[in-house]
Amino acid sequence: MAVTRETAATVKEIEQYKYGFVTDIESDKAPKGLSEDIIRFISAKKNEPDWMLEGRLKAYRHWLTQADEEPAWAKLHYPKIDYQDAYYYAAPKQAKLASLDEVDPKLLETYKKLGIPLLEQQMLAGVAVDAVFDSVSVATTYKKKLEEMGVIFMPISEAVHKHPELVKKYLGSVVPYTDNFFATLNAAVFTDGSFVYIPKGLRCPMELSTYFRINEKNTGQFERTLIIADEGSYVSYLEGCTAPQRDENQLHAAVVELVALDDAEIKYSTVQNWYPGDAQGKGGIYNFVTKRAACRGRNSKVMWTQVETGSAITWKYPSCILQGDNSTGEFYSVAITNNRQQADTGTKMIHLGRNTKSKIISKGISAGHADNTYRGLVRIGAKADNARNYTQCDSLLIGSTCGAHTVPYIETKNPTAHTEHEATTSKISEDQLFYCMQRGMTQEEAVSLIVNGFCKEVLQTLPMEFAVEAQKLVGISLEGSVG
Amino acid sequence: MALLEIKNLHVSVGNREILKGISLTLDGGEVHAIMGPNGTGKSTLSNVIAGRDGYDVTQGEVLLDGRDVFAMEADERARAGIFLAFQYPVEIPGVSTSSFLKTALNAKRRAEGKPEIDAMEFLKLVKSRTKALGMADDMIKRALNVGFSGGEKKRAEVLQMSLLEPRVAILDETDSGLDIDALKVVSDGVNALRRADRAFLVITHYQRLLDYIVPDHVHVLVNGRIAASGGKELALELEAEGYAKYQGAAA
């Protein structure tokens, strides 16, 4: 089946491996399928303490009871996934290539368009990089500085050993293992991800990015990220890469948990540009992601920004639970679907504390035969006096064979709540295209310019360097969308 | 060689023939005015030259510096030097005037094999041009044409023209929606761009504009044909007598 075809190719050799995989922890491969043995294998590979293994097994046993509970409410169509036909541990995912000459030229062309420096291209494409790689040492220098300030930033598998008290306290506290089908699966089999802790009162002086960890271990298809901002702290975290991560694994089910304590602020930015499949809808990543923030403290704030241009299927609702009084949640989203891509994405703003505020700005762009759905929930609890929400959902259609859908849910249990919802749907007009082309722009430049204008409100919330590349990405992902 | 040559141009929309054999030759340094009543094919002529979709050229050709214009896409024509100042400039929400200008300018530079313009250099260039056109500095920060007054829109068109330095500029009813002060500013802007190696095709309904942009040649377009051609005095005559006698003749 399509979901695992590429994975299968990359780890094909392990088919011959028939015995004793559980004890052979030197091996970097586990056979196909999901079982308690596989989970024990993963845990052993990570040299995890018993409490971690127990947590995984608990999740797995729960997942087994959920087998028929795969969410079907989203406006997404895909063949049923056979979870026993997938690989859950296969690291390294890709053999190191000797040079860029061995990389798919199409991929390199995209890198070039994005203006990614050559060394970075090599890292992204999984080329073995020489010892003289500046960024590695730069990253190390940064890490040292961060450590001195008390920032913990490391792979979560490392944090399990070095900071078990923090991991125990917070892992699963925002997204419990029982949360949903995909989150449960992730809790059972996650292989790695980032762990961040910002100490009290510290304004983290640099953007933290997974980029720093690229040269480290491959994170695998089930990432787990946990970020804790202690009282009065601030951090801006950039996820993924502006470059296309052509992940050869096709099923991707990540969980991200954010915790903001009193007066803390977390800004989390994502640019997701995984392989979307070809124009006929063949291949591409199935991206089922659970991202949630707990604004636990008074005056805490979480801001999600996402630019989703990749993946064949996107199922993703970065949310905020506004528990602390005066806490604020914001969600800024650009979702672009072209060809046969499908996205069902939005947010949930759960107001529990008093004077909590939320803002949702969603821009959906649909082209080709794609379907793009905004799905959002604003819930105001009975005790959330004076809660405020403002929601704006704009859809832009390119061509006449794509779809845009807006599905907002608003539930208020408190009479002092104020919620606002605005939605628009528009098309790129022939007049706009002709006007731009009459000024010498190619049709693709014109589309990119117009769509970037449409998304501006969201793109400008991204950190500067990121925003520039995101703008280019917007254009690239819509190439060929106008006939 | 003539800058722009229109030879026996026939254009239809659907089954209806709009232009029925237009021939015009524009040389460098010349300003040609095309006047005519509404619905006579004036805008069709400008759209066909600029390359808007929806028109069928059934006969004839248009040559820019001897090159076949109809063999080029709209954007290629623009980069080759055809500029259309729109009667109704289009709004582009979220795109600042300055980033629009920069994108357009860089498209042209790329076609000429030049590197993209440096940000500081660009800013300096735009500032000098906005100043000459009496435009407020902050206008280039606003989204293109969004919330612009009629006068601001037309000034923005002239600003684009001055940055893109076309070979042939077509002004499509540039005077529509302008009060007399704005008309003067826009006309001054256009006049400042007159050069020996550039030609203008000024399409207008009224003589008024031609008081400010003085043409070398005036053509009367009626029912898809050029009914008469003459010097600038022809415009005054039309203003006094109307199009009636040509409409009769053409019928």
Side-chain angles (χ1 to χ4, degrees), chain A residues 93-170:
Chain A
K93 294 181 291 186
Q94 193 179 14
K96 289 277 178 204
L97 306 173
S99 79
L100 275 179
D101 298 339
E102 297 176 28
V103 178
D104 181 358
K106 254 191 178 163
L107 184 57
L108 291 181
E109 198 183 306
T110 311
Y111 285 157
K112 221 170 112 193
K113 280 184 192 159
L114 285 168
I116 292 173
L118 191 68
L119 277 172
E120 210 174 312
Q121 291 184 22
Q122 293 181 333
M123 285 213 312
L124 295 165
V127 172
V129 177
D130 302 342
V132 278
F133 182 45
D134 284 347
S135 299
V136 175
S137 54
V138 170
T140 317
T141 320
Y142 279 147
K143 263 188 165 172
K144 193 143 200 181
K145 250 171 128 181
L146 289 170
E147 262 170 40
E148 281 165 19
M149 288 184 285
V151 173
I152 304 170
F153 179 36
M154 56 178 60
I156 200 156
S157 55
E158 195 180 325
V160 165
H161 294 286
K162 291 191 175 157
H163 302 281
E165 69 298 338
L166 285 173
V167 175
K168 265 187 190 168
K169 185 170 175 188
Y170 290 107

Side-chain angles (χ1 to χ4, degrees), chain A residues 2 25 42 49 78 97 106 178 256 282 289 332 357 371:
Chain A
I25 54 170
I42 293 171
Y78 55 93
L97 306 173
K106 254 191 178 163
T178 51
V256 174
K282 190 163 166 283
V289 177
Y332 298 89
K357 289 194 290 284
D371 253 317

Side-chain angles (χ1 to χ4, degrees), chain A residues 179-196:
Chain A
D179 191 80
N180 69 71
F181 183 86
F182 296 111
T184 305
L185 180 62
N186 175 285
V189 303
F190 74 86
T191 37
D192 220 329
S194 295
F195 176 82
V196 176

Side-chain angles (χ1 to χ4, degrees), chain A residues 231-246:
Chain A
E231 293 171 18
S233 68
Y234 165 84
V235 63
S236 167
Y237 184 88
L238 311 179
E239 179 197 41
C241 249
T242 52
Q245 298 187 345
R246 296 287 176 113

Side-chain angles (χ1 to χ4, degrees), chain A residues 8-123:
Chain A
T10 56
V11 287
K12 201 172 177 186
E13 70 269 35
I14 73 165
E15 296 281 9
Q16 283 113 37
Y17 187 76
K18 290 201 169 83
Y19 326 101
F21 69 90
V22 177
T23 51
D24 181 11
I25 54 170
E26 291 308 305
S27 160
D28 262 346
K29 302 137 194 163
K32 222 183 224 180
L34 191 50
S35 66
E36 290 208 4
D37 282 346
I38 295 281
I39 287 162
R40 286 177 202 281
F41 173 82
I42 293 171
S43 188
K45 274 307 285 184
K46 302 265 163 203
N47 205 9
E48 285 178 351
D50 287 346
W51 59 269
M52 278 295 293
L53 175 62
E54 286 313 310
R56 287 178 183 278
L57 290 173
K58 216 155 81 182
Y60 174 66
R61 285 165 196 153
H62 180 71
W63 186 76
L64 286 179
T65 70
Q66 302 283 297
D68 298 323
E69 308 281 322
E70 191 175 327
W73 40 262
K75 191 174 168 49
L76 299 170
H77 304 281
Y78 55 93
K80 198 160 166 51
I81 299 168
D82 180 354
Y83 293 91
Q84 293 303 335
D85 194 34
Y87 290 98
Y88 292 87
Y89 193 86
K93 294 181 291 186
Q94 193 179 14
K96 289 277 178 204
L97 306 173
S99 79
L100 275 179
D101 298 339
E102 297 176 28
V103 178
D104 181 358
K106 254 191 178 163
L107 184 57
L108 291 181
E109 198 183 306
T110 311
Y111 285 157
K112 221 170 112 193
K113 280 184 192 159
L114 285 168
I116 292 173
L118 191 68
L119 277 172
E120 210 174 312
Q121 291 184 22
Q122 293 181 333
M123 285 213 312

